[in-house]
Amino acid sequence: MDRYPFEYNPSQPFLQQVGEWVADVFYDILPEAGFEVRDEQIYMAFQLEKAFAEKRTMFAEAGVGTGKTLVYLLYAICYARYTRKPAIIACADESLIEQLVKPEGDLAKLAEHLSLAIDARLGKSPDQYVCLVKLDEARVKDEEAELFEGIYEELPDFVRSPGGMQSFYAYGDRKLYPHLNDSQWNKINWDAFQDCFVCDKRHRCGQTLSRDHYRRSGDLIICSHDFYMEHVWTYEGRKREGQLPLLPEHCAVIFDEGHLLESAAQKALTYKLKHAVFEELITRLLQGEIRESLAVLVDEAITQSELMFEILGRQSMTISGSERKQVIINERLLYEVRTFQNVLSAIEEELVFESGLYTLNDYQLRIVEEHIEMMQKALGLFHQSDTLICWVTESEEGLSLAIMPRTVKEVLREQVFSLKMPVIFSSATLSADGSFQYVADSLGIEQYLSFSVASPYDYEQQMEVTAPNWASGGTFEEKMEAAVQLLVRTKGSALLLFPAEDDLQRFKQDISQYPECAEMRFLYEGDQEISHLIHTFQHDEASILCAVSLWEGLDVPGPALTNVIVWSLPFPPQDPVFMAKRLIVKSPFDEVDMPYMLLRLRQGIGRLIRSREDRGIVAILSSELHEVQTVRDQVTAILPQGVKLKETIA
């Protein structure tokens, strides 16, 4: 196979030659295969050439239909082959990854029409794989044990065999279990409280084996924002532990739907603590021959951990509509946190002495030390309350404490944007009022290139947007009536976007009361694996997909999607993360709530028109549009050019 898809002349600048080839692709090769020539796409291509040539960060805002994905894929593939390092394509979530790699996706189009063999491999997040430890528990203890026993029996033979592995391959991907709903999957998938370092099944684990596969990619590694930020966050720690980083050395990063990177970074940088996990880990020290002073400290640490979590439970407050409980920090809680930290510090000092005696297993000792160091960093944030966001969640195993830094810009600036490599942010919604400064400031980006190109579609002729007025202020019942009327009008073929899981579940419960929809097929996010649901929706033109997370990235052109129903304006939730953001600005509604809502609404509206032939309706079921003039004005301002806001459904 030729290294480059064009005849390379080493006496000429490489990226200039890439640009000339890309121009040939978009002007000649793809049009001969039936693709249209798009000026916006070619303009974007020349802009990206500069970002790759200068190894700069770039905000590439390109409207729906510009073909931006094809542009960045061509540059990423060529640059990867030039540097002999893979390029990373980081998507906002797992469903967007599947959109990119599906049989009719952009990678398949390039491979077919350019006769290009592309080595693209998926680096999925750990929670997208079966955890063998949790599966063993579920097939014995769970009320659906028979279901999980069946999954166990279907595992590859080398997983269930105690002998050495002569051959092996990655397995256990969420996509292989489309029939499981999210609740069932969460009983057997990896979670943050699994101690993989000392797991006796780690060398037979699907996610571990998958890393050996994707690390060998020659062109592209496709992962989620979460996974890329997990790589950044754990890079130094994994090296200290003698492990490979999650991702190999790479030449460039493209953040698809890059406006969502901040929330992914915060999620990846979140510390998660649980008493049961700490107790299990710290008691490992008691299995060796240790001095009495250390044994006493271990007992003291367990007691203090229990007390701290007890106080956390008392100081937590339920937030309506959220499973996260707000932690009210007071002097008593801070005292117990400091006391716990002091005990941990004393244990750390004792471990330095113990390590010189060689009475403890060196590997186990290193794991305990790393865990204590992580806890110290997390608990230390309590003493800088202006930089802290924290909450607790409850489960059968007790409270879990999550601790997140308020801003992530310092970490991103140092570990991502200071690296001398191309970093491309691609999305249809990166700017606010024509400026990229809002996104740049939130991510700590000081110098960047940018451009913006509009969609080539004729939205005035292709799209209708309505916000029905309400007789009783937009009650749930009124919204149900409007939604049913819209579904009957388009005979299904609809996407319902809900801002919260509670709304989706109530709709799912109430829709059975409407005989007009009795013969319609509804698909609900959470009932099956998401890419399987999307595939079903795309190939069943009359079906209706109800989702919470598909505001971005869903690409379903044609008659399968002619109706997008926005259940309510997608303002940010009342949870600890956004509550903390609101506390540090002068006008929370204008500086936090509205920018978030407008970006997400623009993305949701963008799900409807995906080709020049598409036609359809977007309905926004919102009372605020009729009650708050400033909200109406700003929503009207983000509608595609020429589209007017109507107030009737018929």
Side-chain angles (χ1 to χ4, degrees), residues 36 59 70 78 191 334 337 345 362 389 414 443 455 483 596:
E36 63 179 287
F59 292 117
L70 293 179
C78 291
D191 63 58
L334 291 176
V337 169
S345 295
D362 184 60
I389 301 173
E414 178 182 344
L443 297 173
S455 170
Y596 176 94

Side-chain angles (χ1 to χ4, degrees), residues 294 297 340-351 376:
L294 177 56
L297 284 171
F340 189 34
Q341 285 186 281
N342 291 337
V343 178
L344 293 178
S345 295
I347 290 176
E348 287 178 306
E349 292 177 5
E350 290 284 338
L351 290 179
Q376 291 281 42

Side-chain angles (χ1 to χ4, degrees), residues 32-45:
E32 288 178 4
F35 290 72
E36 63 179 287
V37 176
R38 298 174 180 175
D39 292 336
E40 299 87 355
Q41 188 177 49
I42 295 166
Y43 174 77
M44 178 179 176

Side-chain angles (χ1 to χ4, degrees), residues 303 374 377 458 488 564 632:
T303 301
M374 177 274 290
K377 288 180 180 178
D458 185 356
V488 170
V564 173
R632 185 183 181 92

Side-chain angles (χ1 to χ4, degrees), residues 471-486:
S472 302
T475 64
F476 198 91
E477 290 72 20
E478 282 182 308
K479 290 185 177 184
M480 289 294 297
E481 293 285 351
V484 168
Q485 189 175 344
L486 287 160

Side-chain angles (χ1 to χ4, degrees), residues 330-343:
N330 64 0
E331 285 302 320
R332 174 67 192 281
L333 177 58
L334 291 176
Y335 173 79
E336 299 302 343
V337 169
R338 280 194 298 269
T339 303
F340 189 34
Q341 285 186 281
N342 291 337
V343 178

